[in-house]
Amino acid sequence: MIDLRSDTVTRPAPAMRAAMADAEVGDDVYGEDPTVRALENRVAALFGGRHAGLFTPTGVMANQIAVRLSVAPGEELVLDADAHIVAHEDGAAAWHGGIQTRTALSPRGLLEPADVGRLLRPGDAHTVGTRAVAVEQTHNRGGGSVYPIEQLRAIRELTADAGVALHCDGARIWHAHVATGTPLPAYGELFDTLAVCLSKGLGAPAGSVVLLPADRMAEARRMRHRMGGAMRQAGILAAGGLYALDHHIARLADDHVHARLIADALADAGLDVVAPETNLVLVRLPEPRPDAATVAERCRAAGVLVSVFGPRLIRIVAHLDVDASAAAKAAEAVVEAAA
């Protein structure tokens, strides 16, 4: 099978497995796992060193901890209507945090500063106040779309003037860094909190890191524990993340090339393709073409896995386990399945 459902399906390479097997470990609930500490410090340093890092088992947990540090129960979080926090985290902000979300429809999921300015409200005895804005870099349901750094700076200026926190769901921020050349510290300086993923794109088997103010670390660790995310000898997982940071960031450019290869082949065949900016390809299937579920099933029968992203929308994701040859074969299968 050529699996293009997500960049989370990658399997640790032998060298990554060896690094994990050799990891020095301790009890992370006591703060005594040296490999976890090394990973947390490394990620914090990559983004400029103004935050502290906290390792979590999942990206959802990382986002939820970050958001709850800024937004109390009954307060408001502003974000795009298709943001991962809204669309793919099972209502966790409301369920666990009692957080109200207010959303805007944005081109390819990228909030416009003018829209953010209109949505922010201070709150009073009769009105819920905005406490944080969240952006997603890159944007999953936007097809891997990338916020330009100047757009993020404009949003940061608005939120700072309003006394509102700014969070980045940076699950695929590594892709934005590689695609645009924007230095990671340039992102780090903009946000009060970030959540960056090690198992999307970078190929680690699990884990994310929350970047947060150091003086909120005790609170964040308590939240992680309360959510069931405090692990013991977690250095085995953290070692996979460290290996990924050492070996798998620059090579994301290959995934971007393979995504464009697939997109170009589909477009040449007359399919309605959202031009990829990074490693995600969205394909619309207007009538009279078969619907997304039918296309996905036909692709599976041909040895290719794609995601159904809507009734007439499929998503294809390039990643480190898919080379140019596999990408070309997959494109052929999709073209035939969508005929």
Side-chain angles (χ1 to χ4, degrees):
M1 282 286 184
I2 300 172
D3 194 342
L4 298 171
R5 290 172 299 172
S6 177
D7 43 9
T8 62
V9 302
T10 58
R11 295 182 174 129
M16 181 183 285
R17 290 177 182 268
M20 294 170 68
D22 291 340
E24 185 180 359
V25 298
D27 191 323
D28 186 46
V29 175
Y30 290 107
E32 295 174 354
D33 190 301
T35 308
V36 171
R37 295 288 85 76
L39 174 64
E40 292 169 337
N41 293 337
R42 175 78 178 282
V43 174
L46 283 172
F47 284 86
R50 62 182 290 264
H51 300 88
L54 178 67
F55 183 55
T56 65
T58 71
V60 171
M61 187 180 292
N63 271 333
Q64 294 303 315
I65 289 171
V67 166
R68 288 175 63 184
L69 287 173
S70 297
V71 188
E75 295 180 338
E76 180 178 86
L77 173 69
V78 164
L79 64 177
D80 168 71
D82 274 335
H84 193 279
I85 291 172
V86 171
H88 296 292
E89 298 190 6
D90 288 323
W95 183 266
H96 294 299
I99 293 170
Q100 173 171 294
T101 55
R102 197 150 60 103
T103 61
L105 291 170
S106 309
R108 293 197 68 174
L110 308 182
L111 286 169
E112 298 285 357
D115 290 336
V116 173
R118 284 191 290 269
L119 286 169
L120 296 178
R121 54 189 177 189
D124 54 31
H126 308 286
T127 308
V128 175
T130 306
R131 291 295 174 263
V133 172
V135 299
E136 186 176 330
Q137 180 79 310
T138 65
H139 198 289
N140 178 23
R141 296 197 70 85
S145 52
V146 179
Y147 272 99
I149 190 68
E150 291 306 325
Q151 189 168 341
L152 292 174
R153 286 173 177 152
I155 294 171
R156 171 73 280 184
E157 183 175 355
L158 286 167
T159 57
D161 288 346
V164 169
L166 184 60
H167 170 62
C168 179
D169 173 1
R172 294 184 176 92
I173 199 167
W174 319 102
H175 291 277
H177 160 64
V178 170
T180 67
T182 302
L184 294 175
Y187 291 127
E189 70 183 13
L190 294 177
F191 299 106
D192 297 286
T193 55
L194 297 90
V196 300
C197 189
L198 303 165
S199 63
K200 291 187 179 77
L202 296 190
S208 288
V209 175
V210 188
L211 296 176
L212 64 146
D215 62 1
R216 306 294 299 277
M217 180 56 73
E219 185 180 357
R221 289 181 67 87
R222 185 69 179 269
M223 285 185 188
R224 186 184 68 172
H225 187 274
R226 188 174 287 126
M227 292 181 186
M231 298 179 287
R232 299 296 179 176
Q233 287 71 36
I236 294 172
L237 290 174
L242 283 168
Y243 182 92
L245 293 174
D246 287 337
H247 299 280
H248 291 166
I249 294 179
R251 65 144 309 280
L252 292 173
D254 297 338
D255 298 339
H256 301 169
V257 170
H258 297 154
R260 288 193 294 273
L261 184 158
I262 293 169
D264 289 346
L266 300 184
D268 289 345
L271 289 171
D272 184 0
V273 180
V274 178
E277 297 181 31
T278 50
N279 68 317
L280 276 62
V281 181
L282 297 181
V283 185
R284 304 185 187 101
L285 300 161
E287 293 181 345
R289 292 191 182 276
D291 62 15
T294 300
V295 170
E297 186 55 38
R298 289 177 179 177
C299 285
R300 177 183 287 273
V304 174
L305 301 178
V306 300
S307 288
V308 175
F309 232 45
R312 291 195 164 271
L313 183 70
I314 61 171
R315 187 188 70 169
I316 296 167
V317 185
H319 53 76
L320 65 85
D321 284 356
V322 176
D323 60 16
S325 175
K329 291 177 183 177
E332 292 176 4
V334 173
V335 168
E336 184 172 343

